[in-house]
Amino acid sequence: MERLQKVIAASGITSRRKAEDLIVQGKVMVDGKTITELGYKVQPNSEILVDGVKINKEDKVYYLLNKPRGVVTTTSDEKGRKTVIDLIHEDKRIYPIGRLDYDTTGALILTNDGEFANNMMHPKNEIDKVYIAKINGFLTPSDIMALKNGVVIDGIKTSKAKVKVRKVDKETHTSIVEITIHEGRNHQVKKMFEMLGYEVLKLKREKIAFLDLKGLNSSEYRRLTPKEISKLYALLNNKKMK
Ligand code: URA
């Protein structure tokens, strides 16, 4: 039998220290009973709930990374370039959910939970991703309408998007545009602007669903909290039921 805090930490949702805090705070239930005793021994088949959410005992881990520029979003690179996996100290075989280009920065989730990764990426689940693009020039009202309604890239129209011009700079002749999409096609944002004659000079993913980059400098990462994981699961489940 294993100690409760160890089993919780091994599930990947939090550290052992934080697991101890959660136990003491009465947020942990084992087989239907709230357990506040540290070191409580659990059976291998016990059901453990943290904040009301069943933990997965297969050691699932979930990270949010603020990806820097100049790093590839694959698990290995044939050209020997640095990958996002090199940035995270984790012995488990984790992989990124979706891709960000070599020169794109910002929010990226990494996990070893394959089913969760597939669901997060599937366009039918409509997980919003917010990008901030610096482009050359100024969007016209009809360009904004086109981006919102969908642009044909690689022969297929993109889904509806939300678009907001955050800033225009007359001196450098550039604009900062916020665009929210839920698909994840290859180079999608760059291609959408390209189709309308604009070049994306800089691209950052600012948000995935409700997860933003608060507290994470470039190259920094953190584990998702049990609450965040269950909120993402809830989003996915709601979308699936529709
Ligand atoms: N769209 C792009 O063009 N590039 C990215 O990295 C992400 C979305």
Side-chain angles (χ1 to χ4, degrees):
M1 287 201 294
E2 296 263 39
R3 289 155 71 87
L4 181 55
Q5 57 266 46
K6 187 173 171 204
V7 178
I8 295 171
S11 78
I13 57 168
T14 191
S15 65
R16 194 169 315 184
R17 260 290 341 269
K18 296 238 173 73
E20 289 175 354
D21 291 343
L22 291 166
I23 295 168
V24 172
Q25 288 161 13
K27 292 185 173 166
V28 178
M29 283 180 104
V30 179
D31 298 325
K33 250 178 63 191
T34 301
I35 302 293
T36 54
E37 176 198 336
L38 292 178
Y40 181 88
K41 296 272 172 54
V42 287
Q43 312 272 2
N45 58 349
S46 289
E47 185 185 72
I48 302 170
L49 271 67
V50 175
D51 267 333
V53 180
K54 191 172 159 187
I55 66 160
N56 198 324
K57 286 191 250 160
E58 291 170 83
D59 283 17
K60 297 290 196 292
V61 290
Y62 307 85
Y63 289 96
L64 177 66
L65 167 73
N66 185 353
K67 179 194 173 294
R69 194 183 301 266
V71 175
V72 288
T73 315
T74 46
T75 46
S76 65
D77 184 57
E78 74 281 1
K79 293 186 203 150
R81 291 175 297 184
K82 202 169 186 176
T83 80
V84 285
I85 307 298
D86 297 330
L87 297 173
I88 297 186
H89 301 285
E90 171 59 69
D91 293 333
K92 296 190 184 75
R93 286 165 61 88
I94 54 169
Y95 39 85
I97 300 183
R99 284 194 178 191
L100 290 179
D101 296 334
Y102 189 66
D103 58 353
T104 301
T105 61
L108 183 71
I109 300 175
L110 298 101
T111 184
N112 58 349
D113 184 340
E115 194 186 342
F116 172 79
N118 286 339
N119 284 329
M120 285 292 289
M121 279 188 285
H122 202 294
K124 76 165 190 247
N125 288 325
E126 300 190 358
I127 299 295
D128 276 344
K129 275 132 324 206
V130 181
Y131 291 89
I132 308 298
K134 180 179 183 181
I135 60 164
N136 63 343
F138 312 119
L139 292 175
T140 64
S142 73
D143 291 330
I144 295 174
M145 279 311 286
L147 287 169
K148 282 185 176 172
N149 289 327
V151 187
V152 176
I153 54 172
D154 304 324
I156 300 165
K157 198 171 170 185
T158 56
S159 297
K160 288 212 181 311
K162 287 182 208 139
V163 181
K164 237 189 265 172
V165 177
R166 280 202 183 172
K167 219 158 113 188
V168 292
D169 186 333
K170 298 236 165 74
E171 265 170 38
T172 56
H173 202 71
T174 56
S175 310
I176 306 291
V177 183
E178 176 185 314
I179 178 161
T180 306
I181 58 173
H182 60 254
E183 298 165 300
R185 290 163 59 181
N186 225 2
H187 312 301
Q188 178 161 343
V189 174
K190 289 178 186 166
K191 283 184 180 168
M192 287 173 79
F193 283 103
E194 207 175 280
M195 288 313 292
L196 299 169
Y198 299 91
E199 190 189 346
V200 172
L201 307 169
K202 252 186 184 178
L203 186 62
K204 177 177 188 174
R205 183 153 68 190
E206 207 177 54
K207 227 170 164 190
I208 302 170
F210 54 86
L211 291 170
D212 61 28
L213 292 165
K214 252 177 236 141
L216 289 180
N217 290 320
S218 180
S219 298
E220 288 184 347
Y221 62 91
R222 65 172 177 86
R223 289 219 179 179
L224 296 186
T225 66
K227 257 203 190 125
E228 288 169 336
I229 297 166
S230 59
K231 230 170 131 181
L232 288 173
Y233 268 101
L235 271 182
L236 293 170
N237 287 333
N238 280 341
K239 292 281 157 57
K240 269 192 244 159
M241 280 187 303
K242 271 186 190 168

